[in-house]
């Protein structure tokens, strides 16, 4: 028994040493100027989104609903960094609050859909194989065959009222209060819509990796010394499949940001008065507005563009660094 | 090969069943009453009840679903709830045709720029041109469509007189197709460039290319006869695949530009709870996806004899 334990420890230790691969990749990544800039942009945008409340309190000094009737439709100035809209609201403040929504939603969507569900299903599907694999992959194909983002829109459009009913009921029957006002429902609807799609690509990718990896000798030996399936899956297979996962997450975040913006642009996302990038793009997105108040479109447009671009560039750089075939 | 195709086709009914069931139940159990949307401000419970029984909306779920699917299999997609009396088929086919034309125009831009660019920079691996081209393509790809359309219209319509009128639709050979085609086509350049670059690099590293060079063939002949042919294989797959996207259209562009395409109509129907239309569009889209998928696999096997399906 003790020799088995020793073997288990050796197996895990080898695994731990292999992590060096990731830190070496990080070092290579940091040598790429574009990647460093992309990481910087992502950090700045995400931090300003997360810190929206302190920034609007101490730096800009406006709330996102504050209306200043003495400065309607003002172009960007020192007082209003990104100008004001028709109601005299500070665009910069509204932007960082809008970014906060996007940050929360894409992070939740990616973590739950892409990482937890996608990776787990991919691991199980690839490692166990057989009937389980068939079922998971067929379900994935069904979801993937829905035209484009139509399913996301259908889910978002049909789920919201029903979820709203439930939350109202919850508020009426328990001591919990203020849920509807806090916009929890909006977050739930969009996360669900994003998750329903987010896992398929990841599951397929991980499955493909695992199919190759599970034939390797170190997995065979891990099995031979009697390691449990979850242990093999998460300690031995997962770390070795991590490179493509990292690349997919980075590139996937870009499209998730895009989908979130589209949903709120259609009016299916975060509801006014809470600002969102999509609604701001809708309000500024006509030629007539562009002629008179171009900053209404340029400000949210640039932020949305930078967010998507930074993730795409990072994904591209990561692919170069982590994918040995194109290196 | 034949067995493979048959097996894949056998899965088609199963997929259609699953997709239709999900869509139908989302519509059926989801809130929002089509009759209420249909009647608008003139809502009256008694009349609503009458309309509901006329449309058969008060029958149990499985009867409605079964009846719809029975019609669908026979090519009858039912009647629209919103546009009363109009068959769904006649509503959506012209719109699909508009979207298809738009997608073709967009694809010409993506392919026309992306493929030569990818082929070119694959030969320049290591020089500044390689990362620069990919980066620029990504920069263009990341611009939100909601910004591109107004900006292009502003340039083409207000600042200059390139375009006769701003929005609308006049067919494939109308100048007004330029803005939506650019909007939808330019984001695709990045993907095409990367794909073509990767596939060309793959071929360039093969032994037979070195052989071709060493037996004295000129660089242009090697490129045309050996590199290009082999590098196009993955591209064909992608082309077959994007056929499915042809009828999908882009609802954002269509919505902003006021183009009567299928993408815009699908979203409108979701808001109107026009279930027959949503069902038809989703199902046709799903079938097209599955068939295009299969087509891609088959073309792949035809072009590259090394691939064998079992």
């Amino acid at each position: 028994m003790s020799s088995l334990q020793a073997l288990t420890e050796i197996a895990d230790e080898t695994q731990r040493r292999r992590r060096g691969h990731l830190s070496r990749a990080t070092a290579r990544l940091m040598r790429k100027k574009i990647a460093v800039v992309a990481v910087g942009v992502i950090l700045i945008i995400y931090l300003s989104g997360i810190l929206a409340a302190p920034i609007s309190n101490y730096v800009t000094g406006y709330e996102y609903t504050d209306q200043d009737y003495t400065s309607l439709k003002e172009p960007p100035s020192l007082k209003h960094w990104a100008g004001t809209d028709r109601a005299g609201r500070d665009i910069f403040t509204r932007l960082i609050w809008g970014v906060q929504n996007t940050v929360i939603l894409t992070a939740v969507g990616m973590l739950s859909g892409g990482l937890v569900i996608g990776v787990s299903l991919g691991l199980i599907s690839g490692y166990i194989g057989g009937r389980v694999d068939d079922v998971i992959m067929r379900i994935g194909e069904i979801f993937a065959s829905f035209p484009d983002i139509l399913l996301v829109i259908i889910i978002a459009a049909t789920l919201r009222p029903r979820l709203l009913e439930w939350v109202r009921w919850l508020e009426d029957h328990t001591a919990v209060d203020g849920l509807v006002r806090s916009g929890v429902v909006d977050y739930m609807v969009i996360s669900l819509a994003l998750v329903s799609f987010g896992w398929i690509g990841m599951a397929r990718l991980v499955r493909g990796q695992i199919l190759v990896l599970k034939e390797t000798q170190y997995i065979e030996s891990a099995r031979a010394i009697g390691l449990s399936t979850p242990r093999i899956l998460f300690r031995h297979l997962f770390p070795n499949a991590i490179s493509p996962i990292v690349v997919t997450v980075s590139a996937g975040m870009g499209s998730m940001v895009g989908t979130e913006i589209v949903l709120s642009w259609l009016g299916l996302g975060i509801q006014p008065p809470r600002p969102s990038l999509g609604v701001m793009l809708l309000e500024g997105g006509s030629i007539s507005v562009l002629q008179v108040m171009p900053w209404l479109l340029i400000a949210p447009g640039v932020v949305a563009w930078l967010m998507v671009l930074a993730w795409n560039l990072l994904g591209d750089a990561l692919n170069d660094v982590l994918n040995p075939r194109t290196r | 090969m034949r067995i493979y195709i048959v097996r894949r086709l056998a899965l088609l009914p199963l997929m259609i069943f699953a997709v239709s069931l999900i869509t139908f139940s989302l519509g059926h159990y989801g809130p929002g009453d089509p009759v209420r949307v249909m009647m608008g401000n003139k809502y009256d419970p008694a009349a609503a009840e009458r309309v509901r029984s006329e449309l058969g909306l008060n029958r149990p779920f499985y009867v409605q679903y079964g009846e719809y699917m029975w019609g669908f299999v026979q090519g009858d997609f039912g009647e629209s709830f919103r546009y009363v009396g109009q068959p769904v088929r006649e509503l959506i086919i012209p719109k699909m045709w508009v979207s298809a034309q738009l997608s073709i125009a967009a694809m010409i831009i993506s392919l026309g720029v992306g493929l030569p660019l990818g082929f070119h920079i694959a030969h320049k691996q290591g020089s500044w041109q390689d990362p620069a081209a990919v980066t620029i393509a990504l920069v263009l790809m990341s611009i939100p469509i909601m910004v591109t359309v107004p900006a292009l219209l502003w340039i083409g319509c207000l600042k200059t007189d390139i375009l006769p009128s701003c929005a609308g639709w006049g067919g494939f050979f109308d100048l007004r197709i330029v803005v939506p085609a650019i909007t939808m086509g330019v984001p695709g350049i990045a993907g095409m460039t990367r794909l073509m670059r990767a596939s060309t690099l793959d071929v360039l590293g093969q032994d037979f290319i070195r052989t071709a060079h060493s037996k004295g063939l000129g660089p242009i002949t090697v490129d045309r006869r050996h590199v290009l042919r082999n590098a196009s294989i993955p591209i064909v797959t992608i082309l077959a695949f994007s056929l499915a996207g042809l009828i999908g259209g882009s609802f954002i562009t269509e919505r902003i530009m006021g183009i009567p395409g299928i993408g815009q109509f699908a979203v409108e129907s979701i808001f109107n709870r026009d279930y027959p239309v949503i069902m038809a569009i989703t199902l046709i889209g799903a079938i097209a996806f599955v068939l295009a998928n299969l087509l891609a696999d088959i073309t792949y096997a035809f072009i590259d004899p090394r691939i064998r399906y079992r």
Side-chain angles (χ1 to χ4, degrees), chain B residues 7-274:
Chain B
R7 220 177 51 193
R8 286 283 295 269
L9 282 177
L11 270 175
L12 188 63
L14 197 74
M15 301 266 305
I16 292 168
F17 175 68
V19 169
S20 62
L21 199 61
I22 293 174
T23 317
F24 205 83
S25 38
L26 272 175
H28 191 263
Y29 292 112
D33 182 357
V35 179
R36 197 174 274 271
V37 176
M38 206 156 77
M39 297 175 80
N41 291 332
K42 289 172 277 180
Y43 185 77
D44 164 44
E49 207 42 57
R50 209 168 52 238
V51 174
R52 215 165 274 144
S53 68
E54 251 172 47
L55 292 172
L57 283 172
N58 49 0
R59 292 171 304 162
F61 173 77
Y62 60 90
V63 176
Q64 288 187 44
Y65 174 73
E67 195 186 71
Y68 183 86
M69 286 314 286
W70 181 241
F72 186 85
V73 176
Q74 292 165 321
D76 171 20
F77 303 163
E79 277 181 14
S80 162
F81 287 170
R82 184 81 179 82
Y83 304 96
V84 182
Q86 295 209 48
V88 173
R89 193 222 279 262
E90 279 164 35
L91 275 173
I92 62 176
I93 284 180
K95 295 191 163 64
M96 284 190 170
W97 174 230
V98 169
S99 288
Q101 287 172 305
L102 206 54
S103 303
I104 290 171
M107 222 151 86
I108 292 174
I109 295 179
S110 308
L111 292 173
V113 181
L115 295 188
L117 189 63
F119 191 72
H120 174 74
I121 61 172
H123 289 79
K124 304 276 178 192
Q125 200 190 19
S127 94
W128 61 271
Q129 292 185 20
D130 181 12
V134 175
T135 307
I136 290 172
L138 281 178
V139 166
L140 291 175
M141 184 181 92
S142 307
I143 305 175
I145 295 179
M146 303 86 155
V147 177
T148 324
V149 175
L152 284 177
L153 286 179
W154 185 67
I155 295 170
C157 212
L158 291 177
K159 288 286 128 182
T160 59
D161 288 329
I162 305 171
L163 298 173
S165 68
C166 287
W169 174 251
F172 193 76
F173 297 103
D174 188 87
L175 258 184
R176 280 177 293 185
I177 202 175
V178 173
V179 170
I182 292 178
T183 315
M184 288 164 63
V186 167
I189 293 177
M192 285 299 164
T193 310
R194 270 198 285 192
L195 197 72
M196 190 63 188
R197 174 182 174 274
S199 128
T200 312
L201 275 179
D202 215 39
V203 178
L204 282 176
Q206 305 259 337
D207 286 342
F208 66 84
I209 298 300
R210 199 174 34 204
T211 312
H213 278 295
S214 59
K215 73 182 179 190
L217 290 182
I220 294 172
T221 321
V222 175
D223 263 357
R224 217 183 50 222
R225 301 267 295 267
H226 297 268
V227 183
L228 196 55
R229 280 193 189 177
N230 286 293
S232 327
I233 295 175
I235 311 297
V236 175
T237 334
I238 296 295
L239 282 187
F241 212 70
S242 33
L243 279 180
L246 273 185
I247 50 167
S250 159
F251 68 90
I252 309 174
T253 319
E254 289 174 3
R255 209 175 159 93
I256 307 180
M257 297 282 299
I259 295 168
I262 197 70
Q264 148 75 359
F265 191 57
V267 174
E268 192 191 299
S269 304
I270 292 175
F271 285 124
N272 287 335
R273 315 277 165 209
D274 200 342

Side-chain angles (χ1 to χ4, degrees), chain A residues 128-325:
Chain A
I128 298 178
R131 185 92 19 108
V132 180
D133 178 36
D134 270 350
V135 170
I136 294 178
M137 284 300 116
R138 287 300 93 74
I139 294 176
E141 260 168 45
I142 289 167
F143 273 93
S145 66
F146 272 95
D148 272 326
I149 100 167
L150 210 59
L151 177 67
V152 177
I153 298 175
I154 295 177
I155 291 178
T158 52
L159 275 186
R160 173 192 304 289
R162 182 96 343 152
L163 273 173
L164 212 57
E165 256 170 47
W166 285 343
V167 175
R168 286 231 172 84
W169 183 87
L170 200 72
E171 278 188 359
D172 290 346
H173 290 77
T174 59
V176 188
D177 198 27
L179 277 180
V180 173
R181 235 179 318 121
S182 70
V184 166
V185 178
D186 297 336
Y187 284 116
M188 276 160 66
V189 169
I190 305 187
S191 314
L192 264 175
L194 291 177
V195 166
S196 64
F197 247 108
W199 64 274
I200 306 154
M202 183 63 85
R204 275 196 187 147
L205 180 93
V206 174
R207 173 180 175 270
Q209 290 284 312
I210 299 306
L211 282 182
V212 179
L213 286 176
K214 79 171 178 186
E215 303 299 331
T216 54
Q217 281 186 335
Y218 75 91
I219 295 301
E220 204 183 326
S221 58
R223 231 179 338 215
I225 58 173
L227 294 190
S228 68
T229 306
R231 189 169 189 149
I232 296 179
L233 283 181
F234 290 100
R235 296 280 302 258
H236 297 267
L237 283 171
F238 175 66
N240 285 292
I242 205 153
S243 307
I245 294 178
V246 171
V247 174
T248 315
V249 165
S250 176
M253 281 301 270
S255 60
M256 223 171 226
V257 170
T259 313
E260 191 274 324
I261 289 173
V262 167
L263 279 182
S264 43
W265 182 79
L266 276 172
L268 293 170
I270 303 299
Q271 299 299 307
R274 275 183 90 87
S276 62
L277 290 177
V279 172
M280 294 179 78
L281 283 171
L282 178 69
E283 285 168 355
S286 67
I287 332 178
S288 45
V289 179
L290 194 61
Q291 250 181 319
V292 202
M293 300 178 278
W295 58 91
L296 277 190
L297 181 65
I298 293 171
V302 167
V303 173
W305 172 63
L306 280 178
M307 262 175 122
V308 177
L309 176 63
W311 280 118
N312 280 338
L313 286 176
L314 184 62
D316 196 52
L318 280 169
N319 190 34
D320 281 354
V321 169
L322 292 171
N323 197 344
R325 274 168 59 87

